[in-house]
Amino acid sequence: MLPAEGVLGLRDLPEAVARIGLKPGDPVFVRPDGIIDAGLLEFVLSHTFRNLERESKRNYSTDIRLLLDFLSSRDVEWRKATQQDLDDFRDWRCEAPENPERIGGTKWDREAAAFTKLFKWGQVRPLPVDISRREDQAADSVSSRVSWLTPRTWGLWSDVGLRGHIRGGASAPGWDSRTEMRNTAFVQLVLSSALRRQEGGSLLVFELPTQRLRHGRYCHGRIAGAVTRSKNGRVFYASVDAVGQVEAYIESERAWAIQRAQAAGRYERLRQMRLITRVTSGLKPKVEWADRNGVIGEKELSRLDWRERQLLFLEGPDGPEPAYLWLTEQGLPMPPERWNGVFRTANKRCEKVLLSEKERTVTRDLRLAEVRGKSPYATPHSARHSAALYLLIVLNQLMETRFGLTKAERRDFALLFGDPWWLVKTILGHADVETTKRHYLAPVAHLQLESILAMADTTGDQAKDTEDLDSVFARLARETAGIQDIDTLLDKAAS
């Protein structure tokens, strides 16, 4: 219920918001005197801002608010901001020793991109900051974003963080496992496929890959362009084991959540529902539906974004049920950003089990490296990074050690199938192979250099020992920054 006096002078806030044209998730900037900033409201409603993804809108809004607070402290209106103002703001955000929450290069580049959009839209001249200018970009913007966990470390993180295990390997007393299958299935799917959070989190049940490749260990499906960053659809690959875990979730946890929602009448109370009547086949499959009023609609499957997907339902044996794959405990579609909370909770569980109470009193960003290394820390995007690194290491091992290819043979392999960088770039959906190399070059280059040095130290009559992948990852974790491995974690925890 709204208070009798209304909100911000409005008695019917939803009607006023709809009349203005604001969408769910759109920000509203309020000046220090409590009045909505009309100029920034125009920016939010503009083509420049409205075409951003919902998460980008939230991130950019937070970034812009920090800049507005800074400029307000100087009595500078944002349209009057100068390059000196932005240089001072950047120094405070990134360099000032008195700032206890300094940010890295990646975060600054995101903020600079938000400010550039605002100033270009506002036709501020000269531009106080321009992300396309080299001097306005951070030199360390790529490396700080990349986070890897080895396969064994993901196993530890999943067991402790998602399955509630304690040090002995058993589940903790009183462990609540209501969403355990959903969470572990999602993580395994993303680890197997290298999908982004929104890509994997927006799948419909009938988009789960079921067609196996020739040797049967992987299935392939297609990601809709509307849920990708590039807006271009692509084929993705997932292991049979990962797909099997998702199918087990569909038949158990997901089915129970749907039954509870139907019994509680939750689907009947939804304001919008599109009941799928047909999904066509062919190169550009379409979804056809009828809404609650009987209005018929259709759209290409690849053009359905995650919000539209949450409106789609299928006729089940006991009534309509969501076509959206991942559901909350209430049986409702789970927005992709909710996975951040799942990972955050799992990280906290790992800390609780693997760190002492004293070590947990210090926040992660202020902990010593040796303390931080005792507990694995993961995000949805680190699953994608880890999957890509794993694939690169496997391909490198195949060509460098198991196949023992010569330089000429490697060239022939690349001509026939593409080099490992090109293959991984295609799987990740990167537009440029240089993007892939910037993210993952360091550990792979280290491994390749080591192979070259080892070959130089080996005579032609000596057989090389083949190292298993766990050993390769363990060694890389010791010798390359940024890779978390279970050996290091357990060694430190035992010391």
Side-chain angles (χ1 to χ4, degrees):
M1 291 288 293
L2 291 174
E5 64 274 15
V7 177
L8 298 177
L10 296 171
R11 294 186 180 276
D12 190 345
L13 185 59
E15 190 276 335
V17 168
R19 186 172 64 250
I20 293 170
L22 290 170
K23 296 181 178 180
D26 283 349
V28 175
F29 294 93
V30 181
R31 300 192 324 227
D33 59 7
I35 303 300
I36 294 175
D37 190 303
L40 290 171
L41 182 60
E42 289 182 21
F43 171 66
V44 170
L45 297 173
S46 70
H47 179 79
T48 299
F49 192 85
R50 299 199 76 166
N51 282 349
L52 296 174
E53 293 291 338
R54 183 171 179 173
E55 185 176 2
S56 295
K57 288 181 179 181
R58 182 173 63 250
N59 291 336
Y60 280 19
S61 301
T62 303
D63 299 338
I64 291 172
R65 180 183 62 81
L66 289 173
L67 177 63
L68 294 173
D69 288 344
F70 176 81
L71 295 175
S72 178
S73 69
R74 294 186 164 194
D75 292 324
V76 175
E77 200 268 333
W78 68 268
R79 293 180 187 270
K80 304 294 183 183
T82 65
Q83 185 171 349
Q84 185 64 55
D85 291 321
L86 269 294
D87 287 344
D88 292 345
F89 179 72
R90 178 178 181 178
D91 181 72
W92 168 256
R93 293 288 283 152
C94 304
E95 306 292 341
E98 60 271 25
N99 181 4
E101 298 181 351
R102 294 190 299 274
I103 62 174
T106 298
K107 182 66 166 63
W108 168 254
D109 277 359
R110 193 191 79 185
E111 292 187 4
F115 306 152
T116 301
K117 279 191 178 294
L118 174 64
F119 290 130
K120 282 188 174 180
W121 173 84
Q123 299 182 349
V124 178
R125 297 290 183 272
L127 280 174
V129 63
D130 186 352
I131 190 59
S132 66
R133 294 194 300 240
R134 183 175 294 275
E135 59 269 24
D136 288 336
Q137 301 171 9
D140 61 339
S141 60
V142 173
S143 60
S144 63
R145 292 190 61 188
V146 182
S147 172
W148 299 296
L149 284 75
T150 65
R152 294 185 301 177
T153 308
W154 274 109
L156 175 66
W157 182 87
S158 296
D159 285 343
V160 177
L162 299 179
R163 297 187 177 96
H165 289 187
I166 54 180
R167 285 182 180 270
S171 295
W175 165 246
D176 183 359
S177 61
R178 288 177 298 178
T179 58
E180 179 180 315
M181 293 189 71
R182 181 198 68 188
N183 297 342
T184 53
F186 176 82
V187 170
Q188 288 306 310
L189 179 66
V190 177
L191 271 175
S192 168
S193 61
L195 293 174
R196 292 185 176 91
R197 182 196 64 191
Q198 181 165 289
E199 294 169 347
S202 302
L203 289 171
L204 302 175
V205 286
F206 51 80
E207 290 180 309
L208 186 67
T210 56
Q211 186 174 357
R212 296 192 179 193
L213 299 180
R214 184 175 60 179
H215 295 292
R217 293 184 59 187
Y218 276 81
C219 299
H220 65 92
R222 189 164 187 85
I223 283 294
V227 302
T228 68
R229 182 173 295 175
S230 65
K231 303 307 176 187
N232 293 316
R234 70 178 189 277
V235 174
F236 74 97
Y237 304 89
S239 71
V240 170
D241 289 343
V243 173
Q245 288 194 45
V246 179
E247 290 174 339
Y249 155 69
I250 291 174
E251 295 172 2
S252 54
E253 272 184 16
R254 187 179 185 277
W256 299 331
I258 290 173
Q259 289 174 5
R260 292 193 300 269
Q262 289 173 334
R266 293 194 185 100
Y267 301 145
E268 297 172 6
R269 294 193 296 270
L270 292 176
R271 293 180 59 188
Q272 295 187 68
M273 176 187 290
R274 294 175 176 177
L275 189 63
I276 295 176
T277 56
R278 182 177 175 228
V279 179
T280 68
S281 57
L283 293 177
K284 294 183 178 181
K286 291 183 179 180
V287 176
E288 300 175 357
W289 66 78
D291 67 14
R292 288 193 180 280
N293 298 318
V295 178
I296 305 299
E298 66 173 36
K299 197 168 187 178
E300 284 184 22
L301 181 60
S302 186
R303 293 179 59 196
L304 289 166
D305 63 27
W306 69 267
R307 297 177 192 84
E308 295 173 299
R309 288 162 171 262
Q310 293 194 332
L311 302 177
L312 296 175
F313 280 70
L314 295 166
E315 188 63 59
D318 298 312
E321 53 188 57
Y324 207 79
L325 175 58
W326 307 106
L327 304 181
T328 66
E329 287 185 73
Q330 291 72 38
L332 299 174
M334 181 172 170
E337 63 262 24
R338 287 275 296 274
W339 287 109
N340 287 355
V342 172
F343 277 72
R344 194 160 46 241
T345 301
N347 289 330
K348 290 180 180 178
R349 288 197 190 108
C350 288
E351 291 179 351
K352 185 175 181 180
V353 172
L354 300 173
L355 297 182
S356 67
E357 185 175 352
K358 182 178 179 181
E359 289 168 337
R360 295 198 304 271
T361 58
V362 181
T363 58
R364 177 177 172 80
D365 56 331
L366 296 178
R367 289 175 191 152
L368 296 175
E370 61 184 32
V371 176
R372 207 163 47 235
K374 290 181 180 180
S375 176
Y377 181 88
T379 66
H381 215 65
S382 60
R384 173 174 163 84
H385 287 150
S386 299
L389 180 64
Y390 178 79
L391 183 56
L392 280 168
I393 297 302
V394 168
L395 291 172
N396 182 81
Q397 285 294 95
L398 286 174
M399 290 201 287
E400 292 286 356
T401 59
R402 297 191 180 182
F403 290 167
L405 300 181
T406 65
K407 184 177 181 180
E409 289 169 335
R410 288 194 64 172
R411 184 181 64 248
D412 292 341
F413 183 92
L415 288 173
L416 284 171
F417 305 108
D419 64 25
W421 292 110
W422 186 87
L423 292 171
V424 175
K425 169 255 182 192
T426 303
I427 289 174
L428 292 176
H430 286 162
D432 185 355
V433 73
E434 294 304 316
T435 302
T436 313
K437 289 183 177 180
R438 282 200 305 272
H439 280 81
Y440 308 106
L441 179 62
V444 177
H446 174 92
L447 189 64
Q448 291 174 333
L449 177 60
E450 184 189 59
S451 298
I452 293 171
L453 294 175
M455 287 292 290
D457 198 33
T458 303
T459 64
D461 297 332
Q462 291 176 312
K464 292 193 299 177
D465 293 331
T466 301
E467 198 173 15
D468 65 83
L469 285 174
D470 282 342
S471 299
V472 172
F473 275 108
R475 182 163 45 79
L476 282 176
R478 291 192 299 269
E479 300 171 356
T480 308
I483 302 179
Q484 302 176 52
D485 184 63
I486 191 172
D487 278 355
T488 307
L489 296 170
L490 294 184
D491 287 346
K492 289 181 178 178
S495 61

